[in-house]
C-alpha cells in the first residue's frame, strides 16, 4: 500500500482514505501494485484478495475506471519466505482473472522463477527495489497492456 501500508488502506474511508479518492477523482485508469507489504505484514492471503477486489470494484464504480493489477517481484530480502510470496502471486492471478482485469507480472518477466534465486539483478538492486532498467521495462509492460486492452 501507499507509504508502506498494507492493502487494508485501499478500503479505508475518512478524510484521506483511498476509498474516497476513487469517487472524488474518478480516474480513467487505476494501476494497482499491492503485494509486498501484505506478505511482510502477515496479512492473510484471503484478506489481501478481498482488499484488492474491493479496490477494483470501487475503481470501476467511480466512473470510467479501467484497472491494471501489478504484482511485485520475488524478494529474497523480504521478511516473507518465497513460498508465502508464491501464495500471494497465485492469489493475484486469480483475482485479476475473476475481476476481468489485466495483470502485469514482474514475477514472470523479471528473471528466474525457480524459488531458489532472486529475480534477474539487471532489474532489481541489492535491496529488492527496481533498477533504472527494471523501471524502464516495467513501464514498457504497462504501455503494452494499455495499448492492447484500452486502445480505442
Amino acid at each position: 500500500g501507499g507509504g508502506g501500508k498494507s492493502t487494508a488502506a485501499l478500503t479505508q474511508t475518512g478524510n484521506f482514505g483511498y476509498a474516497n479518492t476513487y469517487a472524488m477523482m474518478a480516474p480513467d485508469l487505476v494501476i494497482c501494485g499491492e503485494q509486498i507489504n501484505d506478505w511482510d505484514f502477515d496479512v492473510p492471503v484471503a484478506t489481501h484478495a478481498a482488499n484488492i477486489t474491493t479496490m477494483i470494484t470501487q475503481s470501476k464504480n467511480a466512473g470510467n475506471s479501467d484497472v491494471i493489477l501489478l504484482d511485485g517481484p520475488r524478494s529474497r530480502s523480504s521478511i516473507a519466505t518465497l513460498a508465502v510470496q508464491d501464495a500471494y502471486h497465485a492469489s493475484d492471478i486469480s483475482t485479476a482473472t475473476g475481476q476481468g482485469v489485466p495483470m502485469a507480472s514482474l514475477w514472470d518477466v523479471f528473471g528466474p522463477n525457480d524459488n531458489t534465486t532472486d529475480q534477474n539483478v539487471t532489474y532489481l538492486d541489492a535491496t529488492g527495489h527496481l533498477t533504472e532498467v527494471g523501471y524502464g521495462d516495467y513501464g514498457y509492460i504497462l504501455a503494452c497492456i494499455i495499448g492492447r486492452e484500452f486502445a480505442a
Side-chain angles (χ1 to χ4, degrees):
K5 299 176 183 172
S6 78
T7 54
L10 295 173
T11 60
Q12 291 174 352
T13 57
N15 291 336
F16 298 102
Y18 286 98
N20 294 341
T21 305
Y22 307 121
M24 181 177 63
M25 296 179 68
D28 292 327
L29 175 64
V30 174
I31 300 173
C32 177
E34 306 289 342
Q35 192 177 63
I36 295 172
N37 292 335
D38 278 7
W39 69 46
D40 279 351
F41 297 140
D42 294 324
V43 173
V45 174
T47 302
H48 168 83
N51 290 341
I52 296 292
T53 299
T54 298
M55 183 279 308
I56 292 169
T57 301
Q58 290 169 336
S59 297
K60 288 180 176 180
N61 289 343
N64 187 25
S65 291
D66 290 309
V67 178
I68 298 174
L69 187 61
L70 310 177
D71 65 358
R74 303 174 77 95
S75 174
R76 291 185 91 49
S77 62
S78 176
I79 296 166
T81 67
L82 294 177
V84 168
Q85 295 174 44
D86 283 338
Y88 283 88
H89 177 63
S91 171
D92 284 351
I93 291 171
S94 177
T95 299
T97 301
Q99 294 297 309
V101 300
M103 182 168 161
S105 181
L106 283 179
W107 197 273
D108 298 324
V109 173
F110 284 3
N113 194 12
D114 61 5
N115 217 17
T116 60
T117 57
D118 276 324
Q119 297 285 337
N120 187 318
V121 295
T122 302
Y123 300 108
L124 298 175
D125 65 21
T127 65
H129 293 95
L130 291 172
T131 63
E132 289 180 21
V133 172
Y135 275 114
D137 283 3
Y138 209 10
Y140 178 75
I141 293 166
L142 290 173
C144 289
I145 289 174
I146 290 167
R148 181 186 71 227
E149 299 288 333
F150 307 118

